[in-house]
């Protein structure tokens, strides 16, 4: 769809000039061939009817039918209509396209909200620990104060409202005005999926305390356990009877993670996750519960960047409106989606089991997202060796692992953790057939490392 939108001439079957590069799909490998003019095979012949129809629909919504021009600062209106319809279909509650701001991935949307919320170092943002470092970095960049709340590892990285209240009261006693709460669901780096009752308690907490709820929901399609289901915070708040005047809520979504967009991205999807279109920089935020005066300021900040890139806007609309039953693409789309998610679930379970067999390592179940965040109890000699090398102990372990095996883990100290504990983040993204070899190398290294520093 994106290719057709970028080069609409190939939608015109009467076009016979020039040479075309033809993509063929065989065993998830691409061959790129330039064919002589008399033997040109039109790209449209390889496209499903619904892909062609969708491209025409999108082009009709773009002024001048050109993806290289600026758009409205919030994004192309027709694409926002599509996204709003997708949100409404997902949640069962109305969504307004005027609440949608299309952005270059979720990160600029987070920065935008931090810029608006933070006035000085006396303004604080409640943020989970462990957390995706975008949040701590953005809070620091805009001059605010990170107010940490710790996820409970013992309960599968649970988010306890009692912990939120404790950190809120502590910060207020220090003169910090806490303005917002960040929730990442499914969790990054921790991989948990919040239960709906837990979400209701979080919504109630934000309402009672007058906090903006910043909901990072970019992994919403990646849920691997049958007993859990993704519910957006907007759906939860509306199901509680709370409307626009009751709670301020910003929801973030991205095309970097989640689900595959079209069959020809199979290889990228296997490597990157489920959309895996990180470099296209597409995403949006849905902004609800703010007055007209605040909305005007949000629009002003969005206008500073003129608009997000058009390719990312198109992809965001495709993410929220995938092929439906009856569409020519639906069967291949759903088969690939289900296959990728099933494979990710198997990979997560294999790695979880492997970590729990390692000496001194414990790992919670990966319920969603694309990560495991095991805890490692390091021998005292290893901790002293790390100190001598002027490294955090978990970073020391990860660097030794990389040098010995080529396996990359990210130290837990990069995400935040309870003081005195050590973790690392592991993705579940390597191809499934490579996981056993990774487990073998990891197991051998870990035994050697623990033997080296034991006693």
């Amino acid at each position: 769809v994106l290719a057709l939108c970028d080069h609409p001439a190939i939608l015109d079957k009467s076009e016979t000039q020039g040479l075309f590069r033809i993509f063929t799909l065989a065993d998830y490998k691409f061959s790129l061939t330039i064919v002589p003019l008399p033997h040109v095979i039109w790209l449209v012949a390889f496209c499903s009817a619904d892909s062609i129809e969708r491209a025409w629909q999108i082009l009709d919504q773009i002024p001048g039918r050109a993806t290289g021009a600026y758009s409205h600062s919030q994004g192309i209106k027709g694409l926002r209509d599509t996204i709003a319809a997708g949100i409404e279909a997902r949640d069962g509650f109305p969504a307004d396209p005027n609440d949608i701001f299309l952005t270059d991935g979720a990160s600029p949307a987070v920065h935008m909200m931090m810029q608006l919320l933070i006035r000085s170092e006396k303004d604080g943002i409640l943020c989970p620990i462990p957390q995706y470092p975008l949040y701590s970095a953005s809070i620091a960049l805009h001059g605010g104060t990170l107010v940490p709340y710790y996820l409970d590892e013992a309960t599968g990285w649970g988010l306890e409202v009692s912990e939120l209240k404790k950190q809120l009261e502590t910060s207020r006693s220090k003169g910090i005005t806490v303005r917002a709460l960040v929730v990442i669901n499914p969790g990054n780096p921790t991989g948990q999926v919040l239960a709906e009752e837990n979400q209701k308690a979080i919504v109630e907490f934000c309402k009672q305390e007058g906090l903006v709820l910043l909901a990072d929901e970019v992994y919403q399609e990646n849920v691997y356990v049958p007993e859990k289901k993704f519910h957006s915070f907007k759906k939860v708040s509306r199901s509680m009877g709370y409307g626009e005047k009751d709670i301020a809520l910003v929801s973030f979504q991205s095309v970097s993670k989640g689900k595959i967009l079209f069959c020809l991205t199979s290889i990228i999807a296997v490597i990157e996750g489920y959309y895996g279109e990180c470099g296209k920089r597409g995403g949006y935020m849905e902004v609800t519960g703010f007055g007209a005066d605040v909305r005007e300021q949000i629009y002003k900040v969005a206008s500073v960047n003129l608009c997000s890139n058009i390719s990312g806007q198109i992809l965001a609309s495709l993410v929220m409106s995938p092929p439906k039953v009856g569409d020519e693409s639906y069967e291949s789309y759903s088969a690939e989606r289900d296959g990728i998610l099933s494979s990710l679930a198997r990979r997560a379970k294999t790695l979880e089991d492997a970590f729990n067999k390692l000496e001194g390592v414990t790992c919670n179940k990966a319920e969603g997202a694309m990560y495991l965040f095991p805890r490692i109890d390091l021998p005292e000699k290893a901790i002293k060796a790390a100190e001598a090398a002027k490294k955090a102990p978990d970073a020391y372990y990860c660097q030794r692992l990389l040098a010995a095996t080529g396996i990359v883990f990210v130290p837990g100290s990069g995400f935040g953790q309870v003081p005195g504990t050590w973790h690392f983040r592991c993705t579940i993204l390597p191809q499934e057939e490579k996981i056993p070899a990774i487990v073998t190398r990891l197991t051998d290294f870990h035994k050697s490392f623990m033997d080296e520093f034991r006693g």
Side-chain angles (χ1 to χ4, degrees):
V1 173
L2 191 60
L4 295 172
C5 290
D6 279 339
H7 189 38
I10 57 180
L11 282 165
D12 183 0
K13 294 182 182 180
S14 65
E15 175 81 21
T16 56
Q17 300 300 314
L19 300 175
F20 287 83
R21 291 172 179 258
I22 308 302
F23 287 104
T24 61
L25 185 63
D27 298 324
Y28 294 106
K29 295 180 181 178
F30 294 104
S31 63
L32 191 60
T33 308
I34 298 178
V35 295
L37 187 60
H39 302 286
V40 167
I41 303 173
W42 296 106
L43 181 59
V44 289
F46 290 87
C47 294
S48 60
D50 53 327
S51 296
I52 296 170
E53 181 182 1
R54 182 72 66 88
W56 278 122
Q57 290 172 353
I58 292 170
L59 287 169
D60 285 341
Q61 294 164 351
I62 301 175
R65 289 185 171 179
T67 59
Y70 288 130
S71 76
H72 188 284
S73 293
Q74 281 186 240
I76 294 165
K77 175 60 165 59
L79 301 183
R80 287 187 281 124
D81 289 338
T82 299
I83 291 170
I87 293 171
E88 189 167 329
R90 181 195 67 191
D91 293 344
F93 292 96
D96 186 344
N98 292 320
D99 292 338
I100 307 296
F101 288 76
L102 292 170
T103 54
D104 290 329
S107 300
V110 170
H111 282 297
M112 195 183 305
M113 292 312 304
M114 294 303 179
Q115 182 179 356
L116 288 156
L117 286 163
I118 295 170
R119 298 163 297 186
S120 73
E121 71 278 0
K122 291 295 185 180
D123 283 336
I125 308 293
L126 275 162
C127 192
I129 299 296
Q131 53 98 29
Y132 180 48
L134 163 67
Y135 292 96
S136 55
S138 184
I139 292 166
L141 178 65
H142 296 291
T145 297
L146 186 148
V147 179
Y149 66 89
Y150 289 94
L151 302 176
D152 186 1
E153 187 170 8
T155 60
W157 300 113
L159 197 171
E160 303 296 334
V161 172
S162 58
E163 169 71 2
L164 296 178
K165 291 179 178 178
K166 172 187 170 184
Q167 298 300 340
L168 178 66
E169 291 167 4
T170 299
S171 297
R172 286 175 173 171
S173 71
K174 297 177 181 177
I176 301 295
T177 301
V178 179
R179 309 204 75 199
L181 167 67
V182 173
V183 180
I184 306 174
N185 181 48
N188 178 6
T190 44
Q192 84 284 7
V193 178
L194 295 177
E196 188 174 6
E197 288 304 312
N198 196 183
Q199 290 182 266
K200 289 180 179 179
I202 294 165
V203 169
E204 190 64 40
F205 171 77
C206 287
K207 181 181 183 299
Q208 295 300 324
E209 300 296 343
L211 302 179
V212 176
L213 177 52
L214 302 175
D216 181 330
E217 299 175 335
V218 304
Y219 291 101
Q220 60 189 256
E221 297 286 348
N222 295 66
V223 178
Y224 309 125
V225 290
E227 66 271 20
K228 291 288 184 74
K229 183 180 179 182
F230 170 79
H231 299 282
S232 74
F233 270 97
K234 183 186 171 193
K235 175 185 176 181
V236 170
S237 64
R238 296 297 182 263
S239 70
M240 296 170 68
Y242 294 145
E244 285 281 342
K245 296 182 180 180
D246 299 306
I247 183 169
L249 170 64
V250 183
S251 304
F252 303 107
Q253 171 64 311
S254 166
V255 307
S256 296
K257 324 294 189 301
K259 60 189 166 191
I260 189 69
L261 289 174
F262 37 79
C263 286
L264 290 181
T265 59
S266 304
I267 296 301
I268 299 173
V270 170
I271 296 170
E272 294 289 350
Y274 173 28
Y275 319 121
E277 295 292 345
C278 315
K280 299 295 187 186
R281 307 312 301 141
Y284 70 83
M285 63 178 180
E286 183 185 20
V287 177
T288 59
F290 294 89
D293 54 340
V294 177
R295 290 292 297 269
E296 182 180 354
Q297 301 310 313
I298 297 173
Y299 180 72
K300 284 181 181 179
V301 173
S303 299
V304 169
N305 292 321
L306 300 180
C307 71
S308 60
N309 78 88
I310 305 302
S311 294
Q313 292 189 33
I314 293 170
L315 289 177
S317 74
L318 293 171
V319 163
M320 296 307 293
S321 182
K324 298 174 178 59
V325 175
D327 290 345
E328 185 178 339
S329 296
Y330 177 76
E331 288 190 9
S332 59
Y333 160 79
S334 58
E336 187 167 7
R337 174 200 61 199
D338 294 346
I340 290 169
L341 288 176
S342 297
S343 175
L344 288 172
R346 291 191 297 271
R347 287 178 247 179
K349 185 67 170 73
T350 300
L351 288 166
E352 173 198 330
D353 291 344
F355 286 132
N356 283 317
K357 291 177 182 176
L358 299 179
E359 178 187 356
V361 177
T362 55
C363 184
N364 283 323
K365 181 184 294 186
E367 298 176 333
M370 299 189 298
Y371 312 104
L372 293 160
F373 199 64
R375 175 173 174 170
I376 179 168
D377 292 325
L378 292 166
E380 189 62 30
K381 284 178 64 177
I383 293 174
K384 289 182 177 178
E387 290 173 351
K390 298 183 178 180
K391 300 182 188 300
D394 50 2
Y396 180 74
Y397 178 90
C398 290
Q399 288 185 344
R400 288 282 302 268
L401 173 70
L402 175 62
T405 69
I407 298 171
V408 178
F409 290 163
V410 184
S413 48
F415 301 93
Q417 53 200 339
V418 172
T421 67
W422 308 107
H423 300 78
F424 49 83
R425 188 185 79 165
C426 168
T427 74
I428 59 173
L429 298 182
Q431 291 92 331
E432 188 171 359
E433 65 271 16
K434 292 184 178 181
I435 296 294
I438 292 171
V439 169
T440 298
R441 276 184 281 165
L442 170 64
T443 302
D444 292 345
F445 164 81
H446 186 79
K447 183 179 184 303
S448 173
F449 182 92
M450 297 299 281
D451 287 344
E452 179 182 348
F453 293 103
R454 193 187 317 280

